[in-house]
Amino acid sequence: MEDEKINRTYLETLSFSDLVKLADEYGVDVPDDLDRRFLISELLELAEESRRDEDFNVVSSPDDSLCMNTHLPKGYNETQISCILRNPVWAFVFWDISENDLVMLKSLPDYTLALRMCILGSEKDLNPVEVFEISIPKNVNEQYVLIPSGRQFLRIELIYSSGAGREVLAFSSVVTVPKASEAVETIHPGIENEFPPIIKLSGIEKILTEHYKNYCHSFS
């Protein structure tokens, strides 16, 4: 398929199976649970890279002023949110709000944004077993989020509140948190762990105490 024909409008008309076939033409393996929006964004990037490769051998204009207006787009004009693990304690969350949703939000008399961390019992669960909310400013689009100790599956939702109304703007895919050491998960003042003498020399007891103060205490 010619790259010139690949644009967002065209891709939105395709079924998920057709998008997978198109990705296969580019040599990309697509997981069954991949979000449709992410797949479309990936295909647009691949098509753009292919066009740039084709134009690589074209002689450029000697007038450098033609490149002065080149700039990267701010986003894909879609409301979406993603979550990436920095480590088993911190997650990096970033999001984008479409122009239509921004117009809708600004039409509300007084709205607030928040991130809702949904703790799930399993990767397939739809309903969370625990929920935490984090208020966010209106002029940012990224946030580090502290993960409660001992949780394995989580989903982040971007929500807005206005008056009595609360709605979800977007939600991330489910993120699996690597299982931490039992000593880390159960650390609490008054609990003593029987570490071998050689392990104690590493200062593990002090490290766990600092971990509890800085990371776990807020969720106790």
Side-chain angles (χ1 to χ4, degrees):
M1 179 176 294
E2 296 181 3
D3 295 325
E4 290 78 2
K5 296 180 180 179
I6 298 179
N7 53 53
R8 183 169 297 278
T9 301
Y10 170 71
L11 294 179
E12 291 288 357
T13 66
L14 299 181
S15 65
F16 185 79
S17 60
D18 289 333
L19 292 172
V20 172
K21 292 179 182 178
L22 184 57
D24 187 60
E25 294 181 12
Y26 284 101
V28 177
D29 293 327
V30 179
D32 294 336
D33 59 348
L34 184 65
D35 188 273
R36 173 186 173 86
R37 295 172 299 176
F38 294 151
L39 178 54
I40 290 176
S41 297
E42 183 68 18
L43 287 170
L44 290 173
E45 290 182 11
L46 291 171
E48 180 61 26
E49 289 177 4
S50 178
R51 284 191 287 267
R52 285 199 299 266
D53 290 341
E54 292 176 358
D55 295 339
F56 182 76
N57 293 324
V58 178
V59 177
S60 60
S61 169
D63 187 0
D64 293 336
S65 63
L66 295 177
C67 301
M68 294 300 292
N69 293 327
T70 302
H71 62 279
L72 294 174
K74 293 182 179 180
Y76 292 111
N77 197 27
E78 290 185 356
T79 300
Q80 55 186 338
I81 184 170
S82 301
C83 178
I84 300 175
L85 286 182
R86 181 173 182 265
N87 52 46
V89 176
W90 289 97
F92 180 66
V93 183
F94 56 98
W95 60 92
D96 193 19
I97 302 178
S98 69
E99 293 180 4
N100 287 341
D101 283 340
L102 281 175
V103 171
M104 179 273 295
L105 290 172
K106 291 178 180 179
S107 69
L108 301 175
D110 185 20
Y111 75 93
T112 59
L113 295 175
L115 299 179
R116 177 189 290 160
M117 178 184 290
C118 301
I119 307 300
L120 308 175
S122 72
E123 192 174 7
K124 302 297 184 180
D125 282 356
L126 297 178
N127 298 320
V129 294
E130 293 180 80
V131 173
F132 305 97
E133 287 192 9
I134 305 168
S135 297
I136 54 176
K138 298 176 182 178
N139 58 342
V140 303
N141 62 353
E142 59 185 40
Q143 175 81 37
Y144 275 104
V145 174
L146 186 63
I147 303 172
S149 176
R151 278 59 167 188
Q152 189 174 7
F153 303 101
L154 61 93
R155 182 182 68 239
I156 306 294
E157 298 177 346
L158 177 63
I159 64 174
Y160 76 89
S161 302
S162 178
R166 295 171 64 83
E167 296 289 342
V168 176
L169 286 171
F171 56 87
S172 72
S173 56
V174 176
V175 176
T176 302
V177 183
K179 185 172 177 59
S181 165
E182 184 178 351
V184 174
E185 293 184 353
T186 60
I187 183 64
H188 196 278
I191 295 180
E192 294 186 4
N193 290 288
E194 295 297 328
F195 295 109
I198 190 68
I199 299 297
K200 287 185 177 182
L201 291 176
S202 68
I204 185 65
E205 293 172 312
K206 182 178 180 181
I207 291 174
L208 289 175
T209 300
E210 291 300 315
H211 173 82
Y212 174 79
K213 291 179 179 178
N214 296 324
Y215 301 133
C216 302
H217 180 67
S218 298
F219 296 96
S220 298

